[in-house]
Amino acid sequence: IGKTEMDISAAREQHSALLGRLMRGAGGIDAAMHAADRLYGLPYWSQWNLRAKRRATAAFMDRIRQAYLAALETSVRRDLERLKAEEAKGSRDAGLTDLVAEAQDILARIAERAS
């Protein structure tokens, strides 16, 4: 397998995971692809080419990766807020405190890489 084929395979996996996060009821994949276009600027037909034809430019594959990482970051932020809300309820669970610290560490590393 050549580098380009590996890159396309990785982009397809990230794209599939991104669409999985965006799917909401009726319309499934198609609606998720339109949502990815709106939210992350991933042109619908470029997504279609990646999924159906296994073709994509290096720039588009990079955009897929950035959108995927942004979705993961959003998920970590959302989870961190939920953890903090649990902590605010007065929970003295050491495991909860560890999870909050880990989530904050992940966000710090994401911010570091984005700089």
Side-chain angles (χ1 to χ4, degrees):
I1 295 179
K3 182 174 178 7
T4 302
E5 288 177 43
M6 287 175 26
D7 292 343
I8 294 261
S9 180
R12 285 174 51 94
E13 286 178 26
Q14 291 169 351
H15 184 249
S16 180
L18 180 65
L19 293 182
R21 291 174 175 276
L22 296 174
M23 279 197 268
R24 303 279 186 264
I29 298 280
D30 193 56
M33 287 170 58
H34 283 290
D37 188 355
R38 275 190 321 277
L39 295 170
Y40 300 106
L42 300 172
Y44 177 88
W45 288 108
S46 295
Q47 294 178 69
W48 187 87
N49 276 328
L50 177 64
R51 291 180 52 77
K53 306 254 181 183
R54 294 182 177 266
R55 296 192 298 231
T57 64
F60 183 70
M61 287 187 286
D62 185 54
R63 289 174 69 187
I64 291 282
R65 177 159 177 71
Q66 295 307 315
Y68 174 69
L69 293 175
L72 291 177
E73 180 180 3
T74 299
S75 179
V76 172
R77 286 187 189 286
R78 187 177 310 124
D79 291 343
L80 178 58
E81 291 308 313
R82 289 180 184 147
L83 290 168
K84 285 181 177 179
E86 286 299 315
E87 225 177 20
K89 290 178 184 176
S91 176
R92 301 279 183 237
D93 185 355
L96 183 60
T97 302
D98 289 345
L99 285 173
V100 168
E102 286 180 45
Q104 289 171 328
D105 181 54
I106 290 169
L107 289 174
R109 284 187 281 160
I110 289 170
E112 198 173 278
R113 287 183 183 168
S115 304

